[in-house]
Amino acid sequence: DLDASAVDVGEVVAATVDSIRPQFTAKGVDIDFDLPLAATVIGDRDRLVQVLTNVIGNALTHTPAHGTVKVAAARTERAVVISVTDTGSGIPQDQLDTVFDRYTRLDHGQAGTGIGLNIARTVVAAHGGTITADSAGPGTGSTFTIELPGVSAGHLS
C-alpha cells in the first residue's frame, strides 16, 4: 500500500544521495546529481526513497573505486524521469530483461539477496511508472531509468 501525497522529486533524490554519500566516499566512487528542474509526483515518499536507495546502491556495488555514478532527473510532458548511470561492470545484453526478476544476481560474488531491483520495479509500478535497465554490455556501465507520472513541474529557483 502507498501513502500517497505530493512528492518533490528533487528533494527525494537529494536526500537519498546525501544519505548514501558516505558509502561512496568510503569506496572511492564519485556520486553526482543533476536536478535542473523541480517536479512533483503523487507518490509515497518513503517508498520512492527505497527505490532510489536500491538502484543507487546497486550502482555503487557494481562500480569500482575511482568510478562515477550520476543521478539525474528531468521531465517530459507527462512524466518525471530519473536516471542512474554508472561506470561499473555493465550488464550483458541478454540479461537486461532479467535484472528485475526476483533473486536474480548478475555477480554471484557480491553481497545481497537479488530482490532489491524486483522490489524497485514493484514500487515503481504501484506508482504507475516504469523502470528499465540499459547497458552496452560487460565493462560499459549501466543506466537505470525510472519514469513516474508527473503532476506539476517548474524551474528551480
Side-chain angles (χ1 to χ4, degrees):
D1 293 332
L2 298 179
D3 183 15
S5 63
V7 177
D8 180 329
V9 173
E11 184 276 325
V12 169
V13 171
T16 304
V17 168
D18 286 346
S19 72
I20 201 168
R21 189 180 303 275
Q23 296 171 34
F24 278 78
T25 301
K27 188 174 178 182
V29 173
D30 291 329
I31 185 166
D32 184 29
F33 66 96
D34 181 19
L35 305 171
L37 301 172
T40 302
V41 298
I42 298 299
D44 185 322
R45 183 192 185 285
D46 293 339
R47 299 293 236 142
L48 292 173
V49 167
Q50 178 184 21
V51 167
L52 290 171
T53 300
N54 279 337
V55 174
I56 295 168
N58 271 359
L60 174 62
T61 297
H62 294 283
T63 300
H66 308 294
T68 302
V69 173
K70 181 171 183 167
V71 183
R75 66 181 160 104
T76 66
E77 284 185 27
R78 297 183 178 169
V80 176
V81 179
I82 304 165
S83 62
V84 178
T85 302
D86 65 59
T87 58
S89 56
I91 303 169
Q93 291 289 305
D94 64 343
Q95 295 180 358
L96 285 172
D97 291 335
T98 65
V99 296
F100 298 102
D101 293 346
R102 186 175 290 269
Y103 306 119
T104 296
R105 291 178 41 211
L106 299 181
D107 182 350
H108 298 287
Q110 298 290 337
T113 60
I115 62 170
L117 290 176
N118 181 264
I119 291 169
R121 179 180 63 184
T122 301
V123 171
V124 169
H127 282 83
T130 60
I131 182 171
T132 57
D134 189 37
S135 177
T140 64
S142 303
T143 298
F144 284 78
T145 304
I146 301 162
E147 189 169 324
L148 300 167
V151 293
S152 68
H155 293 283
L156 289 174
S157 49

